Amino acid sequence: LTVRALVLGAGGFIGTHLCRALAERDYEVVAVGRSRKPMVCGGNEGAISWVRGNFADRKLLQRALEGCSVAFHLISDTAPALSNADPSADVRETVIATVQFLELAKSSDLKRVIFVSSGGTVYGIPSQVPISETAPTDPLCAYGINKLMIEKYLALYHYFHALEYCVLRVANAFGELQSTHHQQGVIAAFMKATVNGEPITIWGDGSVIRDYIYVGDVVDALVKASEVADLSHRVINIGSGTGMSVLDVANAIQDISAHRLEKCFTPARKVDVPEIVLDIGRAKQVLGWAPSTPWQTAIERTYRWYDLHARDRVREQLGPICLPG
Amino acid sequence: LTVRALVLGAGGFIGTHLCRALAERDYEVVAVGRSRKPMVCGGNEGAISWVRGNFADRKLLQRALEGCSVAFHLISDTAPALSNADPSADVRETVIATVQFLELAKSSDLKRVIFVSSGGTVYGIPSQVPISETAPTDPLCAYGINKLMIEKYLALYHYFHALEYCVLRVANAFGELQSTHHQQGVIAAFMKATVNGEPITIWGDGSVIRDYIYVGDVVDALVKASEVADLSHRVINIGSGTGMSVLDVANAIQDISAHRLEKCFTPARKVDVPEIVLDIGRAKQVLGWAPSTPWQTAIERTYRWYDLHARDRVREQLGPICLPG
């Protein structure tokens, strides 16, 4: 029996990869996004129905939900560093629309919602690393607050309406297709600068440590979260489980590119907590998931893609975007 | 030097008591509420300026903030049991308006915000009692989710803009003036029924345990939170620290009233967690606060008030409402 899956935020970085992966696994995919259908060559594209529209559009969502047993919620309207400039933007745009979506889900065929939360922001400044899912959640950006709020609403709908859910608190995802907008995605920003022969910008001294996880592994976790029968925990960290400084990342890219990177240091941002490394033990236990793409493989694959799609084509997506393998 | 205090939600149960207490302590009170000025006789009423209007009204708030060094945020648009019927109502009405208020506060004289959160709902079903402030926060109603999100936004504005704040997670407050609207306030509901000779309604079997705290003690904690120099913790439980079942409460009221109460049992509500008792050690340590009104004194005083204001006068407030001493 074919499973029909709804992907909300299907035109974004993770969303595009997810749709392709689901289609390859013979899901019927209803892909909802604000932009035109992303042109990604290869894969089983025929299995993806593209619905262009806004997540807050009740009628559109109601139609899109028809026959779907699982939904992936990958929507945010802003990004960590920018969210504090208009701290209620995501409340207005995303949280309220999510509650509306959950209300619609009550009277639909939907059995489970998989939500991409933010392992990098919901915890705030951790008192210890690696951070487990039971650590305090004190976000230092509106983006993180809103992710957390949606997590709580999912728990509410599970409690009252038996709607299954799984929250993946994803660390710093990277890989092919990631845009450099919104000051999010340091690897994407560094690679884009490198292939264009521009200096890379480092906030602070480059000692900030993050947990970088390849998008292919994130997609693997998303699919597992939708398929695993017994969700003994519903809030699960997804990361590499290891930390790497921004300088380490810059050096790794320099090694691949064989160029000497010019580093431009700018003042540290208060929104950047010093260290995030996620404890991924629960993901192994509940989902049977662990990252399977070695760092070197992932970073080389990603670099190749940026090199191929150098300059304007990265954003404007003038032609079909080719994903490897 | 006179301190000017802003009270948001001044016409409500706790707000009315708070305004009176502040005025008696020679604060200048700017009281913002949606309704007409509550007519409360006695006290230093001249110190209270009443501003009728909506918390979401930016211009009104900006004016009200002028010269205020402390603000008390007592606003919620809904109540625990009812909040799940329209789960994004408080997001729309209260959370977004609170962020707008905090934005205004950045460029005002405001030094500190005291926020009344909900000790009865932010924790959800506790894994142990008494519940400390570090316990997991998994609310089972939209009301609790929204209280929690406002707590997080206060932390954000403290971190980025050095706006001092203190969150009081208040247990089940009771006392004179409490309305019986919104299915909130079991003591108010029982007393109102009793003085009117009606049966009392008990959800479930009456074994649900709550932590009841007299409004005079809550107000005392609010004032202390605004005055204490060093807030070594910013999230503080306010309760009696002891639990009492709904049946215990009914029996206590029966003893005072000297009537035999007719109890009407209705099915338990899923929103009512079995037991809430707050650990109030932090309040003692940080605020030097402990409840000072004995249960019997508080419940008798409250009963006297309902007896005096029996029937329609309780809600309609046709004449001035007299508070004891």
Side-chain angles (χ1 to χ4, degrees):
Chain A
L1 206 77
T2 309
V3 177
R4 203 175 166 87
L6 179 63
V7 178
L8 301 163
F13 163 46
I14 298 175
T16 308
H17 284 275
L18 175 64
C19 288
R20 204 173 102 130
L22 291 171
E24 276 169 7
R25 292 171 71 91
D26 290 326
Y27 280 72
E28 272 180 36
V29 182
V30 181
V32 177
R34 273 177 305 194
S35 52
R36 278 175 303 158
K37 180 174 179 172
M39 284 180 284
V40 181
C41 63
N44 179 15
E45 269 205 85
I48 305 175
S49 323
W50 184 257
V51 181
R52 185 176 184 180
N54 195 304
F55 176 50
D57 180 340
R58 208 176 166 284
K59 283 199 174 150
L60 177 137
L61 267 195
Q62 198 158 23
R63 271 200 313 275
L65 267 166
E66 272 171 30
C68 292
S69 60
V70 61
F72 297 87
H73 180 323
L74 289 74
I75 298 208
S76 6
D77 229 58
T78 177
L82 300 183
S83 65
N84 293 337
D86 181 359
S88 66
D90 244 6
V91 182
R92 295 191 309 267
E93 305 296 332
T94 311
V95 178
I96 291 172
T98 298
V99 175
Q100 178 182 271
F101 163 70
L102 293 171
E103 279 295 307
L104 291 173
K106 277 161 57 178
S107 47
S108 76
D109 302 313
L110 205 67
K111 300 276 172 291
R112 189 179 291 192
V113 181
I114 314 299
F115 175 58
V116 173
S117 182
S118 166
T121 66
V122 295
Y123 298 109
I125 299 172
S127 55
Q128 59 177 61
V129 292
I131 311 168
S132 83
E133 292 86 350
T134 56
T137 44
D138 297 310
L140 295 179
C141 57
Y143 178 88
I145 295 177
N146 289 291
K147 290 288 189 189
L148 195 58
M149 193 159 178
I150 292 173
E151 292 186 6
K152 305 294 181 192
Y153 270 108
L154 286 165
L156 197 68
Y157 278 79
H158 175 61
Y159 182 75
F160 283 102
H161 309 291
L163 181 63
E164 291 281 339
Y165 76 101
C166 185
V167 167
L168 300 188
R169 290 182 174 164
V170 177
N172 286 47
F174 72 95
E176 302 93 327
L177 288 177
Q178 188 169 29
S179 92
T180 54
H181 273 37
H182 304 311
Q183 303 182 11
Q184 202 175 9
V186 68
I187 291 179
F190 284 4
M191 289 198 176
K192 195 179 175 195
T194 305
V195 299
N196 289 333
E198 293 162 4
I200 63 170
T201 301
I202 294 175
W203 306 90
D205 62 3
S207 66
V208 161
I209 286 172
R210 289 290 176 275
D211 181 327
Y212 297 97
I213 177 81
Y214 180 61
V215 66
D217 289 329
V218 174
V219 164
D220 185 28
L222 283 162
V223 174
K224 284 196 157 73
S226 78
E227 292 181 348
V228 69
D230 177 31
L231 286 166
S232 55
H233 288 283
R234 299 179 182 282
V235 176
I236 301 172
N237 285 339
I238 297 296
S240 70
T242 56
M244 189 172 277
S245 77
V246 169
L247 277 183
D248 289 341
V249 168
N251 290 334
I253 295 172
Q254 180 166 287
D255 289 347
I256 299 171
S257 74
H259 295 308
R260 179 159 174 74
L261 263 60
E262 193 188 333
K263 299 182 185 85
C264 172
F265 291 89
T266 59
R269 302 182 303 185
K270 222 179 159 184
V271 71
D272 292 320
V273 307
E275 184 171 12
I276 297 286
V277 183
L278 300 184
D279 179 336
I280 54 171
R282 194 180 271 186
K284 288 179 186 160
Q285 178 207 327
V286 178
L287 306 180
W289 173 91
S292 65
T293 317
W295 163 254
Q296 198 57 34
T297 308
I299 199 92
E300 284 175 9
R301 203 182 274 181
T302 305
Y303 186 81
R304 231 173 13 247
W305 188 84
Y306 281 94
D307 201 32
L308 200 65
H309 295 270
R311 300 190 174 80
D312 47 359
R313 291 187 58 217
V314 172
R315 260 318 281 185
E316 280 71 20
Q317 307 187 352
L318 298 174
I321 291 162
C322 291
L323 286 172
Chain B
L1 206 77
T2 311
V3 176
R4 204 174 165 88
L6 179 63
V7 179
L8 301 164
F13 164 46
I14 298 175
T16 308
H17 284 274
L18 175 64
C19 288
R20 204 173 103 130
L22 290 171
E24 275 169 5
R25 293 172 71 92
D26 291 326
Y27 279 73
E28 273 180 36
V29 182
V30 180
V32 177
R34 272 178 305 197
S35 52
R36 277 175 304 157
K37 180 175 179 169
M39 284 181 284
V40 181
C41 63
N44 179 16
E45 267 206 85
I48 305 174
S49 323
W50 183 258
V51 181
R52 185 177 183 178
N54 195 304
F55 177 48
D57 180 339
R58 209 177 165 281
K59 284 199 174 152
L60 178 137
L61 266 197
Q62 197 158 25
R63 271 199 313 277
L65 267 167
E66 272 172 30
C68 292
S69 59
V70 61
F72 297 88
H73 180 323
L74 288 76
I75 299 206
S76 9
D77 231 58
T78 177
L82 300 183
S83 65
N84 292 338
D86 181 358
S88 67
D90 244 4
V91 181
R92 294 191 309 266
E93 304 295 332
T94 311
V95 178
I96 290 172
T98 298
V99 175
Q100 176 181 271
F101 163 70
L102 293 172
E103 279 294 306
L104 291 173
K106 278 163 55 178
S107 47
S108 77
D109 302 313
L110 205 68
K111 300 275 173 291
R112 189 178 290 191
V113 180
I114 314 300
F115 174 60
V116 174
S117 182
S118 167
T121 64
V122 295
Y123 298 110
I125 299 171
S127 55
Q128 59 175 63
V129 292
I131 310 168
S132 84
E133 292 86 349
T134 55
T137 44
D138 297 311
L140 295 180
C141 58
Y143 179 87
I145 296 178
N146 288 290
K147 290 288 189 189
L148 194 60
M149 291 310 121
I150 292 175
E151 293 186 6
K152 305 295 181 191
Y153 270 109
L154 286 165
L156 196 67
Y157 278 78
H158 175 61
Y159 181 76
F160 282 102
H161 309 292
L163 182 64
E164 290 281 339
Y165 76 100
C166 186
V167 168
L168 300 188
R169 289 181 175 165
V170 177
N172 285 47
F174 72 95
E176 302 93 325
L177 288 177
Q178 188 169 29
S179 92
T180 53
H181 273 38
H182 305 309
Q183 303 183 10
Q184 200 175 12
V186 68
I187 291 179
F190 284 4
M191 288 196 175
K192 195 178 175 195
T194 306
V195 300
N196 289 334
E198 293 162 3
I200 63 169
T201 301
I202 293 175
W203 306 91
D205 61 4
S207 66
V208 160
I209 286 172
R210 289 289 176 274
D211 180 328
Y212 296 97
I213 177 79
Y214 180 60
V215 66
D217 289 327
V218 174
V219 164
D220 184 27
L222 282 163
V223 174
K224 283 197 160 72
S226 77
E227 292 181 348
V228 70
D230 177 31
L231 286 165
S232 55
H233 288 283
R234 298 178 183 283
V235 176
I236 301 172
N237 284 339
I238 298 296
S240 69
T242 56
M244 188 172 276
S245 76
V246 169
L247 277 183
D248 289 341
V249 169
N251 290 334
I253 296 172
Q254 180 166 287
D255 290 347
I256 299 171
S257 75
H259 296 308
R260 180 159 173 73
L261 262 58
E262 194 189 331
K263 300 184 187 81
C264 172
F265 291 88
T266 58
R269 302 183 300 186
K270 224 182 157 183
V271 71
D272 292 320
V273 306
E275 182 171 15
I276 297 286
V277 183
L278 300 184
D279 179 337
I280 55 171
R282 195 181 268 188
K284 288 180 186 157
Q285 177 208 328
V286 178
L287 305 179
W289 174 91
S292 65
T293 316
W295 162 255
Q296 198 58 33
T297 309
I299 200 92
E300 284 176 9
R301 203 183 272 181
T302 305
Y303 186 81
R304 229 167 21 239
W305 188 84
Y306 281 94
D307 201 31
L308 201 64
H309 295 269
R311 298 193 175 79
D312 49 356
R313 292 186 58 217
V314 173
R315 260 319 281 184
E316 281 73 18
Q317 307 186 351
L318 296 174
I321 292 162
C322 291
L323 287 171

